[in-house]
Amino acid sequence: MATKNDYRRLKDEADIAAVIAYLNIPVKKMGYNYFIPCPHPDHADQHPTNCYFRDGWNNVFCTACGKSMKALDIIMWTLGCSYGEAADILWEIESCPEWYYAKREKKKKNSFSITREEAAIIGIHYPGHLLSPCNISTDKEELNPKHEYDNSYIQGYLECKVHRFTYRDFMTDKQYTCIVKNKALEQIRKFSEIEQFLKELLSIEKGKQDRTTRLLLESCQANKKICVDIYNRAKIAAA
Ligand SMILES: [Zn+2]
C-alpha cells in the first residue's frame, strides 16, 4: 500500500522557471539560457554565468559545480526550510496536483490551502517578503542570494535580509480558512450579480453582436465556479 507522498513526480514535473520566479532569484537571459547565481550552499557564486536553466527544464545546471540541482534542494537552500516544507511549496507552485498525496483525504483533513491564482480571484493578497536592514555601504556589491538592496533607500546601498512569510505567521489555520471562506462567498455574490446582468444584456441583444457579452459571461461563470470550489473546500476544512 503506497502511503508516501510522490516527491519524485513532484520534482520531475517541476517547472524550474516558475520555481526560480517564486523564490525571487534574479535571472539573466542569454540566448536560450537563463543564468542565475548558483544556489548551492558550497558555491559562493558572485556572477550569474555558471548556473543556468532553459525553458521546460525541471532543474538547473551549474558548470562550475558540475552538478544539476532540482527544485526541492533549491527551495530548501534559498528559504532555509525543511524538505517537507519545500515539498509543500513546490506542490503549491505546481497548482496543488491531486496525485501528490497517496492518501490525501486522510492526510490533509485539517489542512487547507489555495493556489496563488485562486487567492488572486478572491482578492486575497498572498503574503510576500519583508526586508530587514543588515548593512549599509556607499558602493554596490554582489550580494548573498538571500539578501537584496532596499531600493526605497536612496542615501546609500542598504543591504537587507529577506524574510519570507506565509499566512501561518499571522493567523491560525482556522482564521485563515474563515477569511478565505468569507472572501470566496463575497466573490460568488459579485460574480452572480455580473452573471445576471450579462444574461439580461444577452436577452436584449438577441443574437446581435453578442460575442463579447458571451465571452464575458463565460469568463464570469468560470471564475464563479472557481470561487464555489474554494468556498466548498474552505467549508469542509472549517467544519
Ligand atoms: Zn555552482
Side-chain angles (χ1 to χ4, degrees):
M1 186 164 55
T3 52
K4 212 164 163 278
N5 293 341
D6 199 345
Y7 295 117
R8 175 180 286 274
R9 185 164 170 192
L10 201 62
K11 284 191 278 188
D12 285 347
E13 297 197 3
D15 173 358
I16 207 70
V19 174
I20 298 299
Y22 179 93
L23 296 172
N24 205 17
I25 295 174
V27 174
K28 199 171 163 191
K29 189 172 194 289
M30 272 158 59
Y32 291 116
N33 302 328
Y34 297 89
F35 286 89
I36 59 168
C38 179
H40 198 284
D42 293 341
H43 183 185
D45 198 12
Q46 298 299 313
H47 306 284
T49 51
N50 300 305
C51 191
Y52 71 100
F53 64 90
R54 289 185 176 182
D55 281 328
W57 282 17
N58 64 8
N59 66 308
V60 300
F61 183 77
C62 179
T63 50
C65 297
K67 271 182 196 152
S68 86
M69 291 161 260
K70 291 227 167 174
L72 285 181
D73 288 323
I74 299 170
I75 295 170
M76 281 165 68
W77 293 328
T78 308
L79 302 181
C81 63
S82 71
Y83 192 84
E85 284 166 341
D88 283 349
I89 291 169
L90 184 55
W91 179 68
E92 197 183 285
I93 297 172
E94 291 180 27
S95 301
C96 312
E98 290 285 338
W99 48 253
Y100 176 57
Y101 293 103
K103 293 231 163 200
R104 183 153 183 258
E105 255 55 62
K106 280 187 180 173
K107 281 187 160 227
K108 297 293 282 183
K109 198 178 171 189
N110 296 315
S111 180
F112 172 73
S113 71
I114 54 174
T115 65
R116 281 173 172 258
E117 289 75 19
E118 289 176 332
I121 287 172
I122 61 169
I124 285 186
H125 182 67
Y126 228 82
H129 66 286
L130 184 78
L131 303 176
S132 69
C134 58
N135 188 32
I136 186 160
S137 60
T138 48
D139 298 308
K140 197 169 186 173
E141 288 154 20
E142 289 287 341
L143 293 182
N144 175 320
K146 284 172 198 162
H147 290 192
E148 62 183 56
Y149 286 118
D150 179 351
N151 292 326
S152 65
Y153 189 80
I154 52 169
Q155 282 141 315
Y157 290 99
L158 186 64
E159 183 181 345
C160 298
K161 196 172 190 309
V162 182
H163 303 271
R164 281 164 210 286
F165 293 109
T166 73
Y167 71 87
R168 288 186 180 87
D169 294 313
F170 304 101
M171 62 187 100
T172 64
D173 278 1
K174 207 179 167 73
Q175 286 170 323
Y176 177 70
T177 308
C178 196
I179 288 173
V180 169
K181 199 178 94 182
N182 291 341
K183 279 276 189 184
L185 192 61
E186 214 175 88
Q187 291 304 98
I188 292 168
R189 289 197 186 110
K190 199 187 91 184
F191 284 124
S192 297
E193 270 176 36
I194 300 171
E195 186 182 17
Q196 184 61 32
F197 172 78
L198 291 172
K199 277 182 176 169
E200 279 166 22
L201 204 61
L202 277 174
S203 72
I204 296 164
E205 287 176 344
K206 283 189 181 135
K208 279 181 273 175
Q209 296 182 326
D210 57 4
R211 200 178 124 76
T212 311
T213 315
R214 282 188 191 285
L215 285 176
L216 283 171
L217 182 62
E218 272 172 32
S219 147
C220 173
Q221 285 167 333
N223 280 329
K224 186 179 156 186
K225 198 164 162 264
I226 291 167
C227 293
V228 169
D229 181 52
I230 297 168
Y231 177 77
N232 287 332
R233 272 155 46 211
K235 208 167 101 177
I236 290 164

